[in-house]
Amino acid sequence: MKIPVNFSDLIQSPYFTEGNALFATGRIIVSGVEQNDSVIKISGFHQSYPGIRQKLILSSDGFIRETYCAEHGDIFCEHVVALALRYNEMAVDGEKLVEQFDKIVSVDAEVPKETSYDLEMRDKRLYLSDSSLRNSSGILSGIINPTNLYSFIYLKNDLFSFNGKDVQRGIFPLQVFYSIDNDNIVFSLPDYMIFDQSSGVLFDFESSKVWFIGSGNAQILSSLLSFDTIFTKDREELIISLERLKSRLRNVFIFSGNLTMYENFVEEGSLLFNIKADHKKLKLLITISTDSGEIEFRPGRKNQDQKYTVGENLISLSPNFVKLIKNGVVEAGFKFNKGAYTAPLSLLPSIDDGTNALFKIGQVLSVPNMKNIEIDEANVDYSSIEFNINADKGWFSFSIKLPDTVFPLPDNALIDAIKQVSAGIEVPVVYTDDGLPVILRKSVPFLTKLKEMFLENSFLPSEKLTMAYLPAMLQKVKNRKVSNFEGSEYLRAEYIKIIDAFSSDTFPEVEIPKEVSGTLRKYQKSGIAWMSVLKTMGLGGILADEMGLGKTLQALSFISMIKSDEPSIVIAPRTLLWSWDGEISKFFPHMKRTVIDSLPPFERKKLWQNAEKLIITSYSILASDIDLIKKMTFDTIVLDEAQHIKNSSTKRFKSVKMISGRHRFILTGTPIENHAKELWTLFNFLMPGFLPAKKEMERMEKNSDFEGFEKVSSQVSPFILRRMKKDHVEELPPVTISEVPVKMTQKQNDIYLSMLLRSRAEFIESGGEMNKVQILALLSKLRLAANHPSLVSEQPFDDEESGKIQLTMELINEIKDSGGRVLVFSQYVKVLKIVESLLNKNNVSYVYMDGQTKDRQSVIDTFNTGNYSAFLLTLKVGGVGLNLTAADNVIIIDPWWNPAAEEQAYSRAHRIGQTRKVSVYKLFSRETIEEKILTMQKTKKNLIDFFMSRSMEEPTKDFVKMLAEMEFAQNI
């Protein structure tokens, strides 16, 4: 029995003393112990991998209440299992775990009693394979010995799944076979059953069932299975002995066999096929009626091993009969999978109308309570959008309402039927919410028209209609009504305004915060209204205004309007955290917020636990603290410069996906930089399942599927708001962008040509099989050579031994002499260092910032408030979140593959607050790879139209094409 735990004594035990091992193997080391009146919370780490954290909560009644392993997430952790078993040994007064098991059933062979063992592992399950049980190893190998493993499977079978089936306890009595060979009686278990004598547990591999028979019964069964005594030829004596054995063990075992010396072969029998509908598939159960009785056919057994027992009769199906059954089932459209015959739901009509091949070989019992209906095409015109609203709780949903004369079908069933028709199935089969199968006969015209009216130019939802589909549907479907509304009449009117606004491509007015109502421009107020409407409907969106139009101010205004007890969170690049804080101080000084930046973990933990209404943190901090943050719930999540999560395989993306938030928004001027799948990644955060699968997006791009891209564009357009500076800021002076070709110096040209020849030679030598890293290395060398020869050569060169550097210095001096100020961008720190050296030689005042700069805001303030002529920046650090309107000229020394990055850079100067014309000079070395880069830029230039046309591949994939198009003569 369990005994209450004396916590004071327990904490002093070696098991739970800080720094000691928690169990015999010594793999989990205690790192902390917390105690209150009712529980002990023990934390630890894996000895070999300190990053793998463990947690165990023990209650005063001696029960384990919770376990946790950070390594496996929702998969059961082997170390915690071992720890739990060890603890339970301690919590049982003076007795070992296996000894407790042995006492469940006495040697008198009574039916084992059900037992409970208070070891709670919540929301966990162990997934076992055939080999893990047969070898008594697998997940728990080396931690829990085989005896404990089998015992644990029996006691907590609800934690285990075997080969796709949840483990269940079997019903007694158990089947044991016997046969007579040369007057010797031989006992055996079915081939699909394993017996572990040490634990007294039996496991059925076919049915995933487990039995515990206790140590006494286990010893009896073990003796029978190894029985080798020669019986007398006296048949009567043998029968008497066997009957006595049967009588004694009848509650636990049933013995099946034949006292004659031959097997009962069955060549034929009546077949009954029972069809079950389960989880959008059909399952087939086969019953065979023979002269000896009925048996349930086991399809997983080999043809020659189809042996069954009926009472004490042993029946063997002939291989030919088994082959007849299996061939007929396959011809009927069923396949063997995980121990059973299954088929798609689309097979049901042929079974219902009697045309399926099963009817040729037996009797068929079809799915009970099945419906057959026909829906006429005209019913589409009488279908409508029906709204259900609970305004007080912020609950807002809609569905497709069919006419009352039509059998009611939920949205997910209609979507499923449309998908089946799209796949060429003429008679779809769907489920109602009550699990009732419905066959839709002669309904293809209705479903086709329904798709055209309600879901035209949209990708079909993965399962059901979500609110994300409503804006597009409202513009097509005029029949709509609020069938259920809970809330005040005022709120009812507000919701109707929202519906009507989307229908007319306008936004309802919202009450703008007083702090900024006089500051905000008309388009900014419209942006706030757009975000508010989406939030009310439970949707999210991408505010994709061009750089410099005040996305941060719009987002803060929106956040200030949120009335919720839950905090909101802004996640931004680390360099912009204090810019957000500065904007709040300027426009919303009374807004309570917590900025969580680079602090020790224990300090960050305190900030998370005591955060204000708004939390501002970085992507890197989020990834580091995700185990703590994922337990929180936020009202609204805002991602700033969300191109930082455009790669769905990164830890950053996986971290933001784990955050729990009621509403999600994204701020980025570049929703797409290189590929359509980047847009998919953003929407996978905003509204998972709204767009087709990522592989489908990649296929569209690869195959130039313009029709598909137009559909994507139509579907996402309500959720992307993008305004351009030229359309909304009339006072903003013009910007002039000039692509400036530069002739390389002779030495630079010679170096570049040698690099090009060497690159070609390396590619040819590789047989065209270079990996991405190798190709990027060659590309980088060519780009560096186009900037300055010293960057790729061991020979010494003067700083000015580059046509591009010469022109850069000329432009800086001209701008300085005319009273202007200039931002100088480059991808490479080495290039900026060359320019910096020349500025020092020529006594030109400047400030400098790259990725190593610590106090970036101080450097920015120095330039904006001072009289420095130039600001040298790497493109990466200068591309986001900076306001540098003190400059009216921009020099981009080397072009980048992605034009959006360059646009972000020069928009640091060309934004609200700029009063002078801005001139941008994009330098490129003639007859080099940089000309190819500019050509690639032109194909990606229009951000809105990018995903409606075929984008270029990654530069690494275009390397071969670039080299092939270059002629050596052009550099001579």
Side-chain angles (χ1 to χ4, degrees), residues 3-54:
I3 60 170
V5 174
N6 185 320
F7 279 177
S8 298
D9 293 340
L10 184 62
I11 291 180
Q12 301 302 317
S13 73
Y15 290 99
F16 303 110
T17 303
E18 188 168 339
N20 285 351
L22 284 178
F23 60 98
T25 60
R27 296 191 184 183
I28 307 301
I29 306 300
V30 175
S31 61
V33 179
E34 299 178 25
Q35 174 189 352
N36 60 31
D37 293 337
S38 58
V39 297
I40 294 179
K41 296 181 180 180
I42 302 169
S43 56
F45 60 88
H46 192 287
Q47 188 176 39
S48 302
Y49 308 99
I52 300 178
R53 296 177 294 281
Q54 315 284 329

Side-chain angles (χ1 to χ4, degrees), residues 535 562-568 613 634-635 662:
K535 180 179 185 293
I562 296 174
K563 295 178 176 61
S564 173
D565 295 332
E566 296 169 333
S568 294
K613 173 184 173 63
F634 300 98
D635 180 88
R662 305 190 189 282

Side-chain angles (χ1 to χ4, degrees), residues 14-17 20-30 45-47 54 56 77-87 89-90 140-144:
Y15 290 99
F16 303 110
T17 303
N20 285 351
L22 284 178
F23 60 98
T25 60
R27 296 191 184 183
I28 307 301
I29 306 300
V30 175
F45 60 88
H46 192 287
Q47 188 176 39
Q54 315 284 329
L56 187 70
C77 176
E78 59 198 48
H79 310 297
V80 176
V81 171
L83 173 58
L85 292 175
R86 185 74 170 193
Y87 171 72
E89 289 182 18
M90 295 175 55
L140 308 181
S141 177
I143 306 296
I144 303 175

Side-chain angles (χ1 to χ4, degrees), residues 508-723:
E509 294 184 3
V510 296
E511 187 175 346
I512 302 297
K514 295 180 180 179
E515 298 97 321
V516 294
S517 58
T519 304
L520 292 174
R521 297 167 182 262
K522 183 178 179 180
Y523 75 88
Q524 292 175 325
K525 293 179 180 179
S526 177
I528 298 168
W530 173 76
M531 296 176 76
S532 299
V533 168
L534 291 180
K535 180 179 185 293
T536 302
M537 299 175 69
L539 299 169
I542 302 175
L543 182 57
D545 287 344
E546 192 178 17
M547 281 74 75
L549 289 182
K551 292 189 291 293
T552 301
L553 180 56
Q554 293 176 69
L556 285 174
S557 300
F558 166 71
I559 291 171
S560 71
M561 297 160 56
I562 296 174
K563 295 178 176 61
S564 173
D565 295 332
E566 296 169 333
S568 294
I569 185 170
V570 171
I571 305 165
R574 185 177 172 187
T575 55
L576 301 184
L577 297 188
W578 296 104
S579 297
W580 274 85
D581 186 68
E583 290 289 285
I584 295 174
S585 297
K586 181 178 179 181
F587 294 104
F588 301 96
H590 301 297
M591 182 184 290
K592 295 182 179 180
R593 72 273 191 185
T594 301
V595 180
I596 302 180
D597 199 356
S598 299
L599 295 168
F602 70 92
E603 292 187 25
R604 296 202 305 269
K605 182 177 181 179
K606 291 180 180 179
L607 289 176
W608 286 114
Q609 293 172 340
N610 301 285
E612 298 286 0
K613 173 184 173 63
L614 176 62
I615 302 170
I616 305 171
T617 193
S618 67
Y619 290 100
S620 56
I621 294 296
L622 174 75
S624 298
D625 294 351
I626 190 60
D627 287 340
L628 180 64
I629 303 170
K630 68 183 181 182
K631 300 175 184 177
M632 304 173 66
T633 299
F634 300 98
D635 180 88
T636 301
I637 303 171
V638 177
L639 303 186
D640 188 21
E641 299 295 349
Q643 62 271 19
H644 283 75
I645 65 160
K646 67 182 182 180
N647 186 343
S648 60
S649 64
T650 61
K651 185 177 180 180
R652 286 183 174 183
F653 175 77
K654 294 175 182 177
S655 296
V656 298
K657 283 278 289 181
M658 295 171 69
I659 311 175
S660 175
R662 305 190 189 282
H663 312 283
R664 299 181 174 217
F665 289 92
I666 282 174
L667 311 182
T668 176
T670 55
I672 296 178
E673 291 185 325
N674 290 296
H675 293 290
K677 65 183 178 182
E678 295 168 4
L679 187 67
W680 178 90
T681 302
L682 299 186
F683 272 91
N684 189 255
F685 164 75
L686 286 176
M687 294 176 281
F690 181 53
L691 289 182
K694 182 170 67 171
K695 288 185 178 179
E696 175 64 11
M697 295 284 283
E698 292 171 342
R699 183 203 63 77
M700 291 182 201
E701 190 168 348
K702 181 179 180 181
N703 298 336
S704 301
D705 184 352
F706 301 114
E707 183 179 346
F709 280 143
E710 287 173 0
K711 192 179 290 188
V712 172
S713 177
S714 173
Q715 193 159 331
V716 303
S717 59
F719 309 106
I720 301 179
L721 184 61
R722 178 171 176 79
R723 280 77 61 89

Side-chain angles (χ1 to χ4, degrees), residues 658-930:
M658 295 171 69
I659 311 175
S660 175
R662 305 190 189 282
H663 312 283
R664 299 181 174 217
F665 289 92
I666 282 174
L667 311 182
T668 176
T670 55
I672 296 178
E673 291 185 325
N674 290 296
H675 293 290
K677 65 183 178 182
E678 295 168 4
L679 187 67
W680 178 90
T681 302
L682 299 186
F683 272 91
N684 189 255
F685 164 75
L686 286 176
M687 294 176 281
F690 181 53
L691 289 182
K694 182 170 67 171
K695 288 185 178 179
E696 175 64 11
M697 295 284 283
E698 292 171 342
R699 183 203 63 77
M700 291 182 201
E701 190 168 348
K702 181 179 180 181
N703 298 336
S704 301
D705 184 352
F706 301 114
E707 183 179 346
F709 280 143
E710 287 173 0
K711 192 179 290 188
V712 172
S713 177
S714 173
Q715 193 159 331
V716 303
S717 59
F719 309 106
I720 301 179
L721 184 61
R722 178 171 176 79
R723 280 77 61 89
M724 309 297 287
K725 287 180 288 192
K726 62 182 178 62
D727 298 326
H728 293 279
V729 188
E730 296 178 356
E731 75 277 15
L732 191 65
V735 58
T736 303
I737 303 173
S738 304
E739 292 182 354
V740 184
V742 182
K743 182 178 177 59
M744 292 187 290
T745 66
Q746 185 60 49
K747 290 183 180 180
Q748 183 183 13
N749 187 74
D750 293 342
I751 293 293
Y752 182 86
L753 178 58
S754 68
M755 293 301 305
L756 178 61
L757 289 167
R758 191 178 308 167
S759 297
R760 271 194 152 180
E762 289 184 28
F763 182 77
I764 293 171
E765 288 176 4
S766 73
E769 296 296 329
M770 280 189 169
N771 60 40
K772 186 173 182 178
V773 174
Q774 292 171 317
I775 291 175
L776 284 173
L778 296 180
L779 286 171
S780 296
K781 289 179 181 178
L782 289 173
R783 296 185 65 210
L784 287 169
N787 275 319
H788 198 287
S790 66
L791 302 177
V792 293
S793 175
E794 296 179 357
Q795 304 176 34
F797 288 94
D798 294 336
D799 287 343
E800 296 185 357
E801 192 59 74
S802 161
K804 198 184 286 187
I805 297 299
Q806 291 176 12
L807 181 57
T808 298
M809 291 306 301
E810 290 177 13
L811 287 172
I812 292 174
N813 285 319
E814 288 177 6
I815 293 167
K816 177 177 70 71
D817 293 342
S818 63
R821 304 174 72 185
V822 62
L823 308 179
V824 182
F825 288 99
S826 174
Q827 286 290 309
Y828 303 102
V829 171
K830 292 179 180 179
V831 174
L832 292 180
K833 291 297 182 181
I834 293 174
V835 176
E836 181 181 29
S837 174
L838 291 171
L839 291 177
N840 287 326
K841 289 180 182 179
N842 289 274
N843 296 318
V844 178
S845 60
Y846 70 93
V847 293
Y848 177 94
M849 185 166 71
D850 62 23
Q852 301 303 313
T853 304
K854 300 298 183 183
D855 190 356
R856 299 182 184 184
Q857 191 59 49
S858 175
V859 176
I860 294 167
D861 294 341
T862 298
F863 178 77
N864 282 333
T865 59
N867 295 315
Y868 295 91
S869 299
F871 194 163
L872 308 185
L873 309 96
T874 55
L875 196 58
K876 186 174 183 179
V877 300
V880 293
L882 307 182
N883 189 332
L884 298 170
T885 53
D888 56 351
N889 290 269
V890 179
I891 299 173
I892 299 176
I893 296 179
D894 35 68
W896 184 234
W897 310 102
N898 174 11
E902 293 183 356
E903 183 181 352
Q904 283 185 320
Y906 66 70
S907 290
R908 301 306 108 207
H910 190 247
R911 60 192 302 138
I912 294 175
Q914 180 60 265
T915 59
R916 294 166 293 175
K917 173 184 176 182
V918 176
S919 298
V920 181
Y921 305 94
K922 296 174 60 175
L923 312 187
F924 67 94
S925 294
R926 293 175 55 199
E927 300 178 339
T928 70
I929 191 175
E930 292 187 334

